[in-house]
Amino acid sequence: MIQKVHELSKVFQLEVLVVDDSSMMLSLAKRILESKYKVSLAQSGEECLIAAKLHSPKLILLDVTMKGMDGFNVLRLLKNNESTSSIPVILMTSDEHSETEIRGLHEGAVDFITKPFNPEILLQRVQNTIELSLLQKNLQFEVDKQAEKIKSFASQLMQACSSLVDAKDHYTRGHSVRVAKYSREIARRLGRSSQNLEDIYSMGLLHDIGKLIVEKSIIRKNSRLTDEEYTNIKEHTIAGYNFLKSISELPGLAIGARWHHEHFDGTGYPDGLKGPQIPEDARIIAIADAYDAMTSKRAYTQIRPQAEVRAEIIRCRGTHFDPAVTDILVQMIDEDKDYKMNEDGWNESLVESQPESK
């Protein structure tokens, strides 16, 4: 890798910006460096800041004791500007006091060169610094690329798991995706961050993962469940929690799975939590889950009319459902004039017409 970086500097003539108020020092530095690098010059701090933004050099050699704006002030401004903050800076100084070096390193310099400098040492320091900088940027690129692959894999895995749950009953196919979409839209209207919208979508996808332990005959039963069967199906919340709680990077997955059947008045399961004791994400998923149950064809029920669904949601405001979350869902229902919210593609088209979240 180092050899590749070295070859790159030869082929593309990487640029070095030299900043000094001495014409003699600028000329000397240019003669030493121009055999390997494209060299640009600046005689003041102001010229340096302009040149750094325009040319984005791979390295800046910056004199400390210049007239007007000194090197420390220039360094601070470079590091505080997003467009120049990543450019490595080597400070040049005739001051051999350690305090000067400590201050420069604290301000963000990567190295020091004492004037008058040895040509071979200058060239080697510049080369080493540029190579290290390019290696670090390449490493960060590879890390970002691998992180994106992992994120994509995780997303695909969650989609596959949600499909596996839905496959236990063909009547509920797509249920997890719809709950995820409704939850994300409710959260968006509550002003959640973009990252939180991704998180709650994932929670919605896997909220029913615990149903994998429930017998298919119970899930597909089209008549009233016995007390034993109902107890069995309620266990999916604990099973889902136990399955997901070890995923430390996204603890909300387990939260959504465990508490999406809690009721705002404390009459839900598995823990009988009440009001704000229930995590807000679980409160959102709970109402999204209930909405989809009423607007989807199931083994035991048909799709209910929109007006009836709306009335039921309002009836359960403050008992089953968080009032604030209920009001958001009612707003969404009222905007859904053609009763299309439970169809594929709804979320994308609706979100486009709504203001961005904070």
Side-chain angles (χ1 to χ4, degrees), residues 116-163:
F117 41 72
N118 181 295
E120 291 185 9
I121 292 177
L122 174 63
L123 195 58
Q124 193 62 53
R125 291 276 184 88
V126 168
Q127 180 178 312
N128 291 346
T129 301
I130 289 178
E131 288 180 351
L132 179 60
S133 176
L134 291 176
L135 283 169
Q136 289 173 332
K137 289 178 180 177
N138 185 70
L139 177 61
Q140 187 59 53
F141 173 77
E142 291 298 325
V143 168
D144 291 343
K145 186 166 68 172
Q146 290 304 316
E148 191 60 35
K149 284 185 178 180
I150 293 172
K151 182 178 178 181
S152 176
F153 172 75
S155 176
Q156 292 175 33
L157 184 60
M158 285 189 286
Q159 291 281 356
C161 288
S162 71
S163 297

Side-chain angles (χ1 to χ4, degrees), residues 165 168 175-176 203-215 218-219 225 228-244 253-262 269-270 285-286 289 298:
V165 174
K168 294 199 74 171
H175 167 70
S176 297
M203 293 180 213
L205 277 180
L206 298 182
H207 75 284
D208 268 345
I209 190 72
K211 283 187 176 178
L212 289 174
I213 70 160
V214 181
E215 294 180 17
I218 295 177
I219 292 177
L225 298 177
E228 183 179 352
E229 290 169 336
Y230 184 55
T231 298
N232 182 278
I233 205 165
K234 286 197 297 183
E235 290 175 357
H236 81 277
T237 56
I238 301 298
Y241 174 80
N242 289 334
F243 181 72
L244 297 171
L253 291 177
I255 289 173
R258 183 177 184 115
W259 290 304
H260 67 278
H261 279 293
E262 297 288 356
Y269 65 86
I285 293 171
D289 186 38
R298 300 293 180 94

Side-chain angles (χ1 to χ4, degrees), residues 165-176 178 211 219 292 296-298 300:
V165 174
D166 291 350
K168 294 199 74 171
D169 181 1
H170 66 276
Y171 280 112
T172 62
R173 189 163 298 159
H175 167 70
S176 297
R178 290 191 298 272
K211 283 187 176 178
I219 292 177
D292 191 67
S296 303
K297 186 176 181 180
R298 300 293 180 94
Y300 50 85

Side-chain angles (χ1 to χ4, degrees), residues 321-340:
F321 308 130
D322 179 336
V325 175
T326 302
D327 293 343
I328 294 292
L329 181 59
V330 170
Q331 179 188 61
M332 291 163 59
I333 292 172
D334 290 343
E335 291 172 3
D336 183 25
K337 304 297 184 182
D338 299 319
Y339 203 11
K340 300 288 186 180

Side-chain angles (χ1 to χ4, degrees), residues 2-159:
I2 292 177
Q3 181 61 31
K4 288 183 178 179
V5 172
H6 186 58
E7 292 172 357
L8 187 66
S9 67
K10 289 182 177 180
V11 174
F12 292 99
Q13 281 286 289
L14 303 178
E15 184 172 349
V16 175
L17 172 61
V18 184
V19 188
D20 200 304
D21 57 2
S22 168
S23 299
M24 183 183 70
M25 294 303 297
L26 290 177
S27 298
L28 177 59
K30 183 174 183 180
R31 283 202 306 271
I32 295 170
L33 298 171
E34 64 185 359
S35 62
K36 285 191 174 183
Y37 305 101
K38 178 182 177 182
V39 181
S40 56
L41 306 174
Q43 284 193 285
S44 69
E46 290 80 7
E47 288 183 16
C48 170
L49 296 174
I50 294 171
K53 291 180 181 179
L54 288 177
H55 303 294
S56 298
K58 297 303 178 185
L59 173 70
I60 298 175
L61 280 169
L62 177 61
D63 184 33
V64 172
T65 55
M66 295 184 293
K67 295 176 182 178
M69 190 186 302
D70 68 18
F72 291 121
N73 285 324
V74 175
L75 177 59
R76 192 177 303 113
L77 291 171
L78 287 169
K79 294 304 173 183
N80 287 334
N81 189 289
E82 186 177 356
S83 64
T84 58
S85 61
S86 63
I87 302 173
V89 177
I90 296 177
L91 291 178
M92 301 184 295
T93 180
S94 56
D95 185 356
E96 297 184 6
H97 291 99
S98 60
E99 291 82 2
T100 301
E101 185 171 346
I102 291 171
R103 181 182 175 187
L105 294 173
H106 179 73
E107 296 286 355
V110 297
D111 202 354
F112 267 81
I113 292 179
T114 303
K115 297 191 297 183
F117 41 72
N118 181 295
E120 291 185 9
I121 292 177
L122 174 63
L123 195 58
Q124 193 62 53
R125 291 276 184 88
V126 168
Q127 180 178 312
N128 291 346
T129 301
I130 289 178
E131 288 180 351
L132 179 60
S133 176
L134 291 176
L135 283 169
Q136 289 173 332
K137 289 178 180 177
N138 185 70
L139 177 61
Q140 187 59 53
F141 173 77
E142 291 298 325
V143 168
D144 291 343
K145 186 166 68 172
Q146 290 304 316
E148 191 60 35
K149 284 185 178 180
I150 293 172
K151 182 178 178 181
S152 176
F153 172 75
S155 176
Q156 292 175 33
L157 184 60
M158 285 189 286
Q159 291 281 356

